Amino acid sequence: VRLQAIFRGRQVRKQAAVTLRCMQALVRVQACVRARNVRNSPEGKAVQQLIEDHRNQADSVKLVEVVLS
């Protein structure tokens, strides 16, 4: 009986680990889909444009700093 309990406990822990990995994969997929939906929304596109503008300004500032150095 004790051996059976140990074996079943091991099986339960193994199944729990597999289930957790599957759930983590589902969460990652959901996050990717949500991120894509946000990026494709009008608000998301506006945010992406702001980020790109900010990066371009930062690159310009770095270029000027290099030239002035």
Side-chain angles (χ1 to χ4, degrees), residues 2-68:
R2 178 136 172 91
L3 184 60
Q4 189 179 26
I6 290 171
F7 183 72
R8 284 186 179 164
R10 195 172 292 152
Q11 281 184 319
V12 168
R13 285 192 299 276
K14 184 177 177 183
Q15 184 61 43
V18 169
T19 302
L20 181 60
R21 280 195 299 271
C22 290
M23 289 180 67
Q24 288 172 332
L26 283 172
V27 168
R28 281 194 302 272
V29 169
Q30 286 176 334
C32 288
V33 169
R34 284 190 186 124
R36 186 181 60 206
N37 289 342
V38 167
R39 281 195 305 270
N40 290 335
S41 71
E43 295 86 4
K45 288 181 181 179
V47 170
Q48 289 293 327
Q49 185 63 41
L50 286 173
I51 291 170
E52 188 176 322
D53 292 345
H54 181 71
R55 285 183 183 153
N56 289 339
Q57 286 178 344
D59 290 342
S60 298
V61 169
K62 286 179 184 177
L63 181 62
V64 169
E65 288 175 350
V66 169
V67 170
L68 294 177

